[in-house]
Amino acid sequence: MNYNANTGLRQATFGKKVKRVSDVNAMGYDPFNSSSQQNLYPNMSPSPVPEVPAEGGNFQQQGFGLQASFTNIPPQAGANFNTPGPQQFQNPFPMSANLGVLGQPVVQDMAMQYGQQLAGAGRNIIKQEMEKYVPLNSLKYYFAVDTKYVISKLALLFFPFTHSDWSVKYEQDSPVQPRFEINAPDLYIPTMAYVTYILVAGLVLGMQNKFSPEQIGITASSALAWCIIELAIYCTTLYILQVKTSLKTLDLLAYSGYKFVAIITSILLSLVGGKTGFYVCLIYTNLALAFFLVRSLKVQVLSEQTSKEQNYYGSQNTIGHKRRLYFLLFVAGAQTVLSWWLSFHLVPSTAVTIQSKAT
């Protein structure tokens, strides 16, 4: 026998029409009211839904309802709503966290040391390549001067007849620096004299109303070209005559650059004495320069005799000595000719100077 629980209810309402309700809201039923719902599982509590971060807020589901709450978000994790304008999202994770092994301090130190080693190796290679063409270490020696040396050397160039000791002192097979040895050649005085020569040339041309930038450029380039040609001729002459000396190329450049001191003095004196004063000063300064060069180069050129010439070939020893003497005279004569060639066109005439003052 089957038992039906609805049998009694049907008997009680027998003869009555059952009402059907199509709208449950009319009966006061609120499906969204959590208090009106029955807890079908009293022993189980609803598990909270984890927070889901989103731009501008965090959404959290509580119970069977969905509630939204905005929390304060750090500037690096979200946008700043108080700042007007477009917002730019910033990565909250640092770059080092994404680098992995490369972000370790030890690896970074090793990379820095390796980079420094590469930079040092490249610097050494560049220095070696430059040393092949421009001896930088040798240039430091020729510019190691001071004020006392410059004044003493200029006095020696103008009055070399009063000087007696022309030998150059050496220290551990290397010559002493010019600031400690007045007889040592330097490049400071020739360089400054060359620059001063260009300035004096511009001054004289301006006084003659002949100044122009092109003329200054021609004067500077021609003087430099003649210095290079002169140096090449000296080196070629030593090679052809087979004269072996301790002179270096920079030594010859230094000795040939002292002529600009005589040129500057002669041009400045020509502003007062005209051509007569120019030639008088040029003759004296070049005689002093020739005496200075002969006595300075004599120590390094004439005293350089090979043991083979001294011991076995006595006749060739005399021939070698004459070649060295001819070289000294050639250098002294070339300085006189070049001094006149680089300065005679800058000398103003006395008549032109007087007429310009009268007008």
Side-chain angles (χ1 to χ4, degrees):
M1 182 176 180
N2 297 327
Y3 175 76
N4 192 354
N6 296 329
T7 305
L9 181 60
R10 290 179 180 178
Q11 293 177 359
T13 59
F14 183 79
K16 296 183 180 180
K17 187 177 181 180
V18 180
K19 294 183 180 180
R20 297 179 180 273
V21 180
S22 59
D23 189 3
V24 295
N25 294 328
M27 300 176 60
Y29 175 75
D30 189 1
F32 299 99
N33 189 1
S34 60
S35 61
S36 62
Q37 295 180 355
Q38 297 178 359
N39 189 1
L40 301 179
Y41 305 97
N43 296 327
M44 297 179 62
S45 60
S47 60
V49 180
E51 297 182 2
V52 180
E55 184 178 0
N58 294 333
F59 295 95
Q60 181 180 5
Q61 184 178 0
Q62 299 178 355
F64 295 96
L66 185 65
Q67 295 181 358
S69 62
F70 294 93
T71 60
N72 295 327
I73 301 175
Q76 65 274 11
N80 187 4
F81 294 94
N82 296 327
T83 304
Q87 305 295 330
Q88 184 177 2
F89 179 76
Q90 299 180 1
N91 188 7
F93 303 99
M95 186 177 295
S96 61
N98 299 328
L99 294 178
V101 180
L102 298 178
Q104 300 297 327
V106 178
V107 179
Q108 293 179 358
D109 294 340
M110 293 176 61
M112 184 177 297
Q113 294 178 1
Y114 183 70
Q116 292 177 356
Q117 292 178 359
L118 288 179
R123 192 183 306 110
N124 293 332
I125 293 174
I126 294 175
K127 185 177 180 179
Q128 292 176 0
E129 292 296 328
M130 293 184 64
E131 283 288 342
K132 294 180 180 179
Y133 304 98
V134 181
L136 299 179
N137 293 329
S138 300
L139 287 177
K140 294 180 181 179
Y141 166 80
Y142 290 96
F143 285 92
V145 299
D146 54 5
T147 306
K148 181 180 179 181
Y149 168 81
V150 173
I151 296 175
S152 301
K153 197 58 172 283
L154 290 176
L156 181 61
L157 290 174
F158 286 107
F159 308 101
F161 313 103
T162 59
H163 194 62
S164 58
D165 186 11
W166 297 91
S167 61
V168 179
K169 298 179 182 179
Y170 282 78
E171 182 179 359
Q172 297 180 356
D173 297 335
S174 61
V176 183
Q177 292 182 353
R179 58 183 174 182
F180 303 115
E181 177 56 51
I182 191 174
N183 295 324
D186 71 285
L187 287 174
Y188 177 80
I189 293 178
T191 303
M192 294 296 103
Y194 171 76
V195 176
T196 308
Y197 164 74
I198 298 173
L199 298 177
V200 171
L203 174 64
V204 174
L205 291 175
M207 296 178 64
Q208 299 177 9
N209 297 326
K210 298 180 181 179
F211 176 82
S212 64
E214 293 80 8
Q215 191 67 28
I216 293 296
I218 293 172
T219 303
S221 59
S222 61
L224 183 61
W226 277 111
C227 289
I228 297 175
I229 294 173
E230 179 186 6
L231 184 62
I233 292 174
Y234 293 158
C235 295
T236 306
T237 303
L238 290 175
Y239 177 77
I240 293 175
L241 297 178
Q242 296 181 357
V243 176
K244 296 181 180 180
T245 64
S246 60
L247 288 174
K248 301 178 181 179
T249 305
L250 294 178
D251 292 339
L252 294 174
L253 180 61
Y255 285 119
S256 62
Y258 290 131
K259 63 178 174 291
F260 286 103
V261 178
I263 293 174
I264 294 170
T265 307
S266 302
I267 294 176
L268 293 177
L269 191 60
S270 67
L271 298 177
V272 179
K275 289 186 177 181
T276 303
F278 167 75
Y279 283 108
V280 171
C281 182
L282 184 66
I283 292 173
Y284 173 79
T285 53
N286 279 275
L287 286 176
L289 179 62
F291 183 84
F292 167 80
L293 292 176
V294 170
R295 295 302 301 268
S296 298
L297 296 176
K298 179 181 178 180
V299 179
Q300 302 182 20
V301 176
L302 295 182
S303 62
E304 293 291 333
Q305 301 290 339
T306 60
S307 59
K308 183 177 180 180
E309 291 177 344
Q310 291 178 357
N311 296 332
Y312 299 101
Y313 302 100
S315 60
Q316 292 186 4
N317 185 11
T318 306
I319 296 175
H321 182 78
K322 289 181 179 181
R323 290 176 180 177
R324 299 169 191 273
L325 183 59
Y326 291 154
F327 176 75
L328 291 179
L329 296 177
F330 173 70
V331 172
Q335 300 303 306
T336 304
V337 175
L338 289 176
S339 298
W340 172 79
W341 178 258
L342 294 176
S343 59
F344 80 97
H345 62 283
L346 299 174
V347 179
S349 60
T350 306
V352 174
T353 306
I354 295 175
Q355 290 178 2
S356 62
K357 289 181 179 180
T359 55

